[in-house]
Amino acid sequence: MNQAPPARDGTIDERGKIPQALSYVQAYRDRQQVWRTILAVLAGLGALLAVLFVAAVPVGTALDRLLGVTPFDPAAPSFTVGFWIAGNLLLAALIPTAGLLQWSIYRQKPRWLSSLAGGFRWRVLGRAAVVIVPLWAAYMVVLQFVMPTGPVQLTATTIALSAVAVITVPLQSAGEEYLFRGLLSRAIGARFRRPAAAFTVATAVTAVLFGAIHGAANGWTLAYYIICGVALSVVAQRTGGLEVAVLVHAVNNTMLLVPTILADRLGTLSAPTGPVLIIPMAVIALAAGIVWRLAPRITSPN
């Protein structure tokens, strides 16, 4: 069936159709000027660095004072609740930031960053959740045997912090997806005519950036973040949008964090490293494979 391509401003033809040849990573292909790519990458990374190194400390310190806890001290960095919440909310702000950068640089309205359908497809997310959530629940059970977080301590504090995590961690995860798998991948993918080349280069570059920005200090940690970046890029490209990538990222981060909070160990949280990271790498690769296989059903309009 012949389908008309999207207009240059990000709208779809009157029949609401999208050409099947159009890939998510090449959505900026009609505006492929190199200055746009450079500007989008620099502005996107600049926004992320501003969040991490400029806004996080003052906002986190203000939240600490508001919550009545000892404020975060940059001279002697340590975990504080306000700083943690501020980081999550500021990273969530990358969602509208990435959308507005897309609009200003590529003249596509922000809603077209979510998917090729022109919006966030909640039905797609719900269908994927039926598979992804049980997979991660099983993974968490295995992980508790390998690296137990400790006994659950149900106190007012751990319950409140768990609720905060459930609300803010998915938003933080979505912010990272809208920047890395959204704006940055598309900006790089616009440089290539062939979809395979666009996807390969965009995925490689953004996966390495994803690892670098997370402070990967050794080979195992860097490999973990690169595998995550590649898997999430595969998911976004295969499903034609960010919904399932956001879901996988959010479920992973939230389910890893909540047991630590309930064990009252949030203040001593540290990222694992070494061969044990083979387990999460295998799980996220498996998730990408499952999504690849089930994508036609997950993204079906019916």
Side-chain angles (χ1 to χ4, degrees):
M1 177 168 51
N2 294 327
Q3 298 176 338
R8 291 173 65 87
D9 65 355
T11 60
I12 307 179
D13 74 308
E14 66 276 9
R15 294 171 295 166
K17 303 295 184 180
I18 293 179
Q20 294 184 10
L22 180 64
S23 68
Y24 180 81
V25 78
Q26 287 189 298
Y28 300 156
R29 181 64 191 160
D30 66 333
R31 293 176 181 268
Q32 57 184 283
Q33 296 91 338
V34 67
W35 70 265
R36 296 184 194 272
T37 295
I38 294 172
L39 181 58
V41 171
L42 291 180
L45 292 178
L48 178 61
L49 294 176
V51 164
L52 297 177
F53 299 107
V54 179
V57 171
V59 175
T61 301
L63 270 178
D64 281 332
R65 291 198 174 99
L66 184 64
L67 294 170
V69 300
T70 303
F72 177 82
D73 183 3
S78 61
F79 174 85
T80 66
V81 173
F83 189 73
W84 169 59
I85 296 173
N88 287 344
L89 295 178
L90 287 169
L91 286 171
L94 292 175
I95 301 172
T97 300
L100 290 174
L101 286 174
Q102 172 180 269
W103 196 0
S104 61
I105 298 171
Y106 288 99
R107 310 313 301 167
Q108 285 189 2
K109 294 180 180 179
R111 64 192 180 93
W112 291 94
L113 189 56
S114 295
S115 75
L116 292 174
F120 195 91
R121 300 166 296 174
W122 291 100
R123 179 180 295 181
V124 169
L125 183 142
R127 288 171 175 169
V130 174
V131 177
I132 297 301
V133 172
L135 173 63
W136 248 262
Y139 163 43
M140 290 299 102
V141 171
V142 172
L143 204 59
Q144 283 301 312
F145 283 103
V146 178
M147 296 187 303
T149 55
V152 172
Q153 300 185 37
L154 291 179
T155 66
T157 299
T158 59
I159 293 173
L161 289 177
S162 295
V164 170
V166 169
I167 295 170
T168 64
V169 171
L171 293 174
Q172 163 258 317
S173 302
E176 293 183 11
E177 289 308 304
Y178 271 77
L179 178 65
F180 285 97
R181 259 60 66 180
L183 179 70
L184 298 185
S185 287
R186 285 180 155 188
I188 296 167
R191 308 300 316 141
F192 301 90
R193 183 179 301 276
R194 295 187 176 183
F199 172 73
T200 300
V201 176
T203 296
V205 172
T206 56
V208 171
L209 288 174
F210 190 62
I213 209 67
H214 280 83
N218 56 68
W220 283 107
T221 307
L222 181 61
Y224 167 70
Y225 282 113
I226 288 177
I227 291 296
C228 287
V230 171
L232 293 170
S233 289
V234 168
V235 167
Q237 179 76 346
R238 178 64 168 166
T239 60
L242 295 174
E243 301 92 349
V244 185
V246 168
L247 173 70
V248 172
H249 196 154
V251 168
N252 179 68
N253 286 10
T254 305
M255 284 195 174
L256 285 172
L257 190 58
V258 168
T260 303
I261 295 174
L262 291 176
D264 199 19
R265 295 182 58 186
L266 183 59
T268 61
L269 181 66
S270 61
T273 188
V276 72
L277 288 178
I278 293 175
I279 299 174
M281 284 190 274
V283 171
I284 200 162
L286 175 62
I290 292 173
V291 171
W292 181 277
R293 181 65 179 262
L294 298 180
R297 296 182 185 178
I298 291 172
T299 59
S300 171
N302 301 321

